[in-house]
Amino acid sequence: MWDPSETTLYSMMMFLFMETILEMYLTRRQISVYKQCKTVPRELQHVMNGDTFEKARVYGLDKAHYGMFKMIVCDIVILQLELYFGFMAMVWARSVEIAENIGLNPKSEIQVGCLFALILNIIGIFKEMPFKIYGTFVLEEKHGFNKQTAGFFVKDQIKTFVVAQALTIPVAAAFIYIVQIGGQYFFIWLWAFVAVVSLVLITIYPVYIAPIFDKFRPLEDGELKKSIHDLASSVKFPLGQLFVVEGSKRSAHSNAYFTGLFGVKRIVLFDTLLVNKGLPADDPSLSESDKGKGCKNEEVLAVLAHELGHWKLGHVAKNIVIIQLQMFLIFLAFSKLFTYGPLYEAVGLPAGEKPILIGFMVIVMYVLAPYNTMISLAMTIMSRRFEYQADGFAQELGYADELGNALIKLQLDNLGFPVYDWMYSAWNHSHPTVLQRLERLKSLNKEGHKSKTQ
């Protein structure tokens, strides 16, 4: 018979293994779709030619095979070995040794915990880097999406690492301190602290952190800028600033979003969303492949109408509330479980040694894994519902045709494959597929919703 620590360890390993097998099974189903579906769907035949469809099919197939390989290496081999051989316990023991060697107090859990977090993050970079390099310079490069030079990539990784440590290490120190002094109800103080930190980061990220990684420029005065302000005013969206981010230096994929929790907000457009990246057609910086790509002004407005729908319908606020509730429940579960010795022994720590950070990681990542999976699926279902609602909001503003055109154009520009296995899509996609969204827009039109072109 296994002792409690062995039962805990093998239960965690078995669930994570079975979850990975499920994800691989779903990916295999989608790979079968890529292999079997070789003709353009009837709904897209007027805008998508066979060559583009084939490129999208091959791109999707390559990504799926890469995803399968990564799951095998990371989730089956590395993760299972790390759990079985007590990787976190090894890193903790090494952190204690290093703390003593560099003059820190090895008896201080806060000091050792910060060092542990730093070492774990450094190891994580080395584990993830081969996959990042392959994904960027092989997979995305092969299909024409990578725009990063090696120098840009290296600088980006260094900046990401420095910013991440500047944020996570102080939070880790405060986390340990609150648990140590918080008493029986420390989880309440912990939740309040993390909630405040989250809201502060959401507020300061677009102003102070995002510009570290990408160049932002104000949207030039003109018809599009005026139309966006008019659209925002029509739904009483407190728009302050309009920016274009040079996402084309990183990738050819397109996007748009708005930021700001309180008061005045800003809208950010990726330059890849705009026709000719928002530049004159004769701009010397435009490559031949960039010319003509992007959405027309009315289509950009339709995309923004969809995003404003998320705001107007309260989706952003609802997501924040749900996330905060989830964090509260996680901290509550942590407070009930973190003193259970077999959890620590299961990952290789000596009996009686219970580092707070390791306890939190084991509970959140492994013990609560079944709960996290169910919540993730529920959030995916809710997100898809929100997407349909936001599409409906855009259509009620009269952007039905333009939104449909924008969805198709983004699908083409991003080489998105339009056909998905229903199980794979339900598990993985927070957005309905483009065919599902077009069908919903069509059905709403039949129900009498107005269109901008009517």
Side-chain angles (χ1 to χ4, degrees):
M1 290 292 293
W2 293 333
D3 63 31
S5 65
E6 291 176 322
T7 300
T8 301
L9 173 62
Y10 296 137
S11 296
M12 294 187 301
M13 292 176 65
M14 181 57 67
F15 178 81
L16 294 172
F17 177 79
M18 294 305 298
E19 184 178 39
T20 303
I21 293 299
L22 172 61
E23 291 178 355
M24 291 178 66
Y25 164 72
L26 295 175
T27 303
R28 287 298 309 172
R29 288 177 62 100
Q30 181 58 29
I31 287 174
S32 296
V33 172
Y34 288 133
K35 290 181 176 180
Q36 295 171 12
C37 186
K38 297 186 178 182
T39 57
V40 182
R42 177 179 50 81
E43 300 90 336
L44 299 177
Q45 286 178 356
H46 64 294
V47 291
M48 191 177 200
N49 59 41
D51 183 55
T52 302
F53 183 82
E54 178 63 15
K55 288 179 180 179
R57 189 185 71 84
V58 174
Y59 179 44
L61 194 58
D62 285 350
K63 286 196 298 181
H65 282 139
Y66 169 63
M68 289 282 285
F69 174 77
K70 189 174 180 181
M71 278 189 280
I72 292 170
V73 174
C74 294
D75 298 333
I76 291 184
V77 178
I78 294 178
L79 179 58
Q80 296 291 328
L81 289 176
E82 284 182 350
L83 278 171
Y84 185 79
F85 288 106
F87 169 73
M88 281 195 288
M90 295 178 190
V91 176
W92 183 265
R94 186 60 178 157
S95 300
V96 173
E97 293 176 8
I98 294 175
E100 189 169 13
N101 292 336
I102 64 176
L104 297 178
N105 181 6
K107 302 290 186 183
S108 169
E109 187 169 344
I110 291 178
Q111 294 182 32
V112 175
C114 290
L115 194 56
F116 169 79
L118 177 61
I119 294 173
L120 212 58
N121 289 338
I122 293 173
I123 294 172
I125 286 177
F126 283 101
K127 287 195 298 185
E128 187 66 25
M129 192 56 63
F131 298 101
K132 283 186 177 180
I133 292 172
Y134 178 86
T136 302
F137 293 103
V138 178
L139 180 59
E140 293 292 296
E141 184 84 27
K142 175 183 176 181
H143 295 280
F145 288 113
N146 175 48
K147 301 299 181 182
Q148 300 183 61
T149 63
F152 181 93
F153 179 83
V154 171
K155 289 179 184 177
D156 201 49
Q157 298 306 309
I158 292 172
K159 287 188 288 187
T160 300
F161 176 78
V162 172
V163 170
Q165 304 323 300
L167 295 174
T168 58
I169 291 178
V171 169
F175 186 98
I176 296 170
Y177 181 70
I178 291 171
V179 175
Q180 289 176 336
I181 69 163
Q184 182 180 357
Y185 299 104
F186 74 83
F187 63 92
I188 297 177
W189 301 109
L190 201 56
W191 169 74
F193 167 73
V194 172
V196 170
V197 169
S198 300
L199 294 177
V200 169
L201 287 177
I202 291 173
T203 303
I204 69 172
Y205 178 84
V207 181
Y208 300 106
I209 300 177
I212 296 174
F213 300 96
D214 295 298
K215 184 177 179 180
F216 291 75
R217 71 174 191 263
L219 179 64
E220 294 80 1
D221 291 335
E223 180 185 348
L224 178 60
K225 185 174 182 178
K226 181 181 183 303
S227 298
I228 292 175
H229 276 284
D230 291 343
L231 174 62
S233 297
S234 71
V235 296
K236 297 182 172 57
F237 179 78
L239 175 59
Q241 297 170 300
L242 270 167
F243 287 97
V244 176
V245 59
E246 293 186 1
S248 56
K249 286 188 175 181
R250 189 181 305 277
S251 169
H253 294 294
S254 306
N255 203 354
Y257 62 93
F258 68 84
T259 62
L261 285 179
F262 311 106
V264 175
K265 304 179 187 296
R266 59 172 58 186
I267 287 176
V268 179
L269 307 173
F270 278 52
D271 59 353
T272 47
L273 180 67
L274 309 176
V275 172
N276 298 328
K277 298 196 294 189
L279 300 171
D282 58 353
D283 191 286
S285 66
L286 282 174
S287 66
E288 288 300 318
S289 61
D290 289 330
K291 290 181 180 179
K293 277 192 174 182
C295 294
K296 298 176 183 178
N297 286 357
E298 286 295 313
E299 293 164 350
V300 173
L301 290 173
V303 171
L304 291 179
H306 169 92
E307 296 300 327
L308 291 175
H310 285 306
W311 170 77
K312 191 70 173 181
L313 298 171
H315 297 164
V316 177
K318 290 174 184 175
N319 277 326
I320 290 174
V321 170
I322 291 171
I323 290 171
Q324 294 305 322
L325 178 60
Q326 284 299 109
M327 292 301 299
F328 181 82
L329 293 175
I330 286 172
F331 290 142
L332 176 61
F334 171 61
S335 72
K336 303 299 182 184
L337 297 173
F338 86 111
T339 57
Y340 183 59
L343 284 179
Y344 300 87
E345 295 170 34
V347 294
L349 286 162
E353 193 169 343
K354 302 176 182 178
I356 291 168
L357 278 186
I358 291 184
F360 182 71
M361 292 173 65
V362 170
I363 290 168
V364 172
M365 295 169 58
Y366 306 134
V367 176
L368 295 181
Y371 170 79
N372 293 336
T373 298
M374 290 188 296
I375 291 298
S376 176
L377 181 59
M379 291 293 288
T380 298
I381 294 170
M382 185 183 71
S383 175
R384 292 166 72 95
R385 180 178 176 85
F386 283 174
E387 292 303 317
Y388 280 134
Q389 291 175 352
D391 282 353
F393 180 85
Q395 190 173 32
E396 288 177 358
L397 291 178
Y399 290 99
D401 295 335
E402 291 79 6
L403 181 57
N405 292 337
L407 291 174
I408 292 171
K409 190 167 289 186
L410 293 175
Q411 185 84 2
L412 297 177
D413 287 351
N414 293 323
L415 282 186
F417 194 70
V419 184
Y420 287 95
D421 172 76
W422 72 271
M423 287 180 64
Y424 175 87
S425 181
W427 183 268
N428 289 284
H429 291 164
S430 61
H431 288 51
T433 67
V434 66
L435 292 179
Q436 289 171 331
R437 293 176 72 177
L438 291 174
E439 181 63 28
R440 179 61 64 91
L441 287 168
K442 183 179 178 181
S443 66
L444 289 175
N445 265 343
K446 289 181 179 179
E447 292 171 9
H449 288 257
K450 62 184 179 181
S451 172
K452 192 81 174 173
T453 57
Q454 288 178 345

